Amino acid sequence: MDRIYLDHSATTPVSKEVIEVMMPCFTEVFGNGSSQHFHGREASKLVDIARKQVADAIGAKVSEIYFTSGGTESDNWVVRGVAEAYKTKGNHIITSMIEHPALLKTIEELTRSHGIEVTMLPISKEGFVCIDELKKAIRPTTILITVMAANNEIGTYQDIETIGKIAHDNKILFHTDAVQAVCSMPLDVVAQNIDFLSLSAHKFYGPKGVGVLYRKNGIKLGKHITGGEQERSMRAGTHNTAGIVGLGKAIEIAVRDRDKNNKYLSELRDYFVSEIHSKIENVYFNGTKSDKRMPSVANFSFEFIEGESILLRLDLVGISVSSGSACSSGSLEPSHSLLATGLPIELAHGSLRFSFGLSNTKKQVDYVVKSLVEITDNLRELSPLFARKEGGTFNV
Amino acid sequence: MYNEKVMQEFAAPKNVGFIEDADGVGKVGNASCGDIMEISMKIDDSGIITDAKFRTFGCAAAIATSSVATQMIIGKHIDSALNITNSDVVETLEGLPPQKIHCSVLAEEAIKDAIADYKAKKSL
Ligand SMILES: Cc1ncc(COP(=O)(O)O)c(C=O)c1O
Ligand code: FES
């Protein structure tokens, strides 16, 4: 059975082009970039090239790029580093209700340990941050506004340029988690008023365990990891040369192929969405259908049935997807992003995220739709909620 | 995450449905995740459960435990069915992940609820 992978928002395979440039870093160019000799200099050169590739991709300067271990670390660093560096200015952070846990959990911890106060901006039904609420939330003590560029569950793009402008008009720093966005959304840190930005290579066909924090020059930020002199002494630790080189190549390719990929993925996604709507009843599309969204994501709620059950039935027929159901999250809480859009708990419970990638085909979509028709039929037969809807004899 | 036995029951659950002329119907909800399980039973005059069917809105563990629970009670006297605990159900499934143990409680409660419904109807 050829497996079908529809979970590219969780992670992507490393592309061949990327692997090719990474391989020599394990053998020939294995030096420690901090060493002065030939081996060290060769490794250091490759890291410099990658830094340039990242800077070019987001309109930044090379001196503004810091390599980290991934999106989670970059998000942690910004929040902790800004809270520390600006503690005499204030203690208030504004964020949104649909941020990644890497941000939300970090901010929550700082509210306990560092007296940080937080405002969580509400989200519209389609998944957008309310700009008016943002303006109202600003206080003299606000030090940071952090709103993600694209959401990892429903794929909505936020208007980061406007949010950044509001931040700057009020002399507040602006961070955006662009981990999901970078593949499809053009990023320009200057035009979009961005002071900090997080990236993670494994979301754009690069390796896992390597990411980026962009910090605009001249802005204060607490040191993150102390030790050696790497990353201008802000984030010490021997460079993960292969990972960094892979990240650099992967982002270069992502930008190079962006328009082509967006077209391919949105056509595939639109075909899938229309097939689902025409072949399955009582399904709801979560998020926006406007063009302010990632081309690769379709999030649906299947009424009367539960997400983990659908996910595992799909898995049995060779299809990998993810769910926002409470039952599939260790914590027994349904997806906070879906709930923030006002989706009722029962529907959040029956939600599935399909995220497409470059190797997916129309033929695969046909197989997935056919499987979903069978699985939803079968699980609905099993569901007491469905029976009730059909006018079954048993009443609650 | 789930063992083979659980996946087998989940992939092909037995006794799915609703007995229209049931003698006892139990329906319980799971406060921690919002799931629902319903068991309907046929019970003969001597108190033996002759048939049982279930419908469940819930995770794979909830579906597997429902399926196993109905199989465990068919042919049993209601008094011994009342003695079935969620650990018995988990044992029959050869174990569940720790965060899924609460799903098996649903099965135990649904059985008890259905038998209580039967007793109430019969005014036993
Ligand atoms: C929006 C967002 N931020 C942060 C992360 C975390 O990135 P990483 O897996 O590199 O730690 C993810 C990935 O799940 C994400 O989707
Ligand atoms: S029924 Fe929800 S976690 Fe099992």
Side-chain angles (χ1 to χ4, degrees), chain A residues 294-366:
Chain A
M294 292 163 66
S296 52
V297 178
N299 191 309
F300 281 108
S301 286
F302 297 81
E303 206 176 1
F304 317 122
I305 47 182
E306 187 279 319
E308 189 204 84
S309 294
I310 316 174
L311 183 156
L312 290 176
R313 283 286 174 94
L314 283 169
D315 188 48
L316 287 170
V317 297
I319 301 164
S320 300
V321 302
S322 84
S323 164
S325 159
C327 298
S328 61
S329 78
S331 67
L332 293 176
E333 296 286 331
S335 148
H336 69 287
S337 298
L338 291 176
L339 293 182
T341 66
L343 195 71
I345 290 191
E346 310 86 75
L347 287 181
H349 224 29
S351 73
L352 283 192
R353 178 188 68 189
F354 304 86
S355 46
F356 296 90
L358 300 174
S359 63
N360 292 134
T361 61
K362 205 171 160 216
K363 202 167 144 238
Q364 290 182 335
V365 170
D366 287 331

Side-chain angles (χ1 to χ4, degrees), chain A residues 198-214:
Chain A
S198 308
L199 295 174
S200 176
H202 73 97
K203 309 283 185 178
F204 49 90
Y205 302 88
K208 291 167 186 55
V210 58
V212 165
L213 179 66
Y214 151 82

Side-chain angles (χ1 to χ4, degrees), chain B residues 3-14:
Chain B
N3 68 36
E4 249 173 63
K5 173 89 180 144
V6 176
M7 284 308 285
Q8 268 170 18
E9 288 294 336
F10 165 69
K14 317 260 178 346

Side-chain angles (χ1 to χ4, degrees), chain A residues 304-306 308-310 312-313 316 326-328 330 332 346 349 379 381-385 387-388 393-394 396, chain B residues 1-2 7 10-11 13 16 18 20 25 27 32-33 35-36 38 54-61 63 100 102:
Chain A
F304 317 122
I305 47 182
E306 187 279 319
E308 189 204 84
S309 294
I310 316 174
L312 290 176
R313 283 286 174 94
L316 287 170
C327 298
S328 61
L332 293 176
E346 310 86 75
H349 224 29
L379 288 174
E381 223 163 85
L382 258 156
S383 167
L385 301 175
R388 193 171 73 207
T393 50
F394 186 75
V396 197
Chain B
M1 178 169 98
Y2 295 117
M7 284 308 285
F10 165 69
V16 172
F18 183 75
E20 294 296 334
V25 174
K27 188 163 191 171
S32 47
C33 66
D35 294 334
I36 299 171
E38 170 202 271
F54 82 91
R55 286 191 299 210
T56 293
F57 170 71
C59 70
I63 290 171
K100 294 289 183 177
H102 74 269

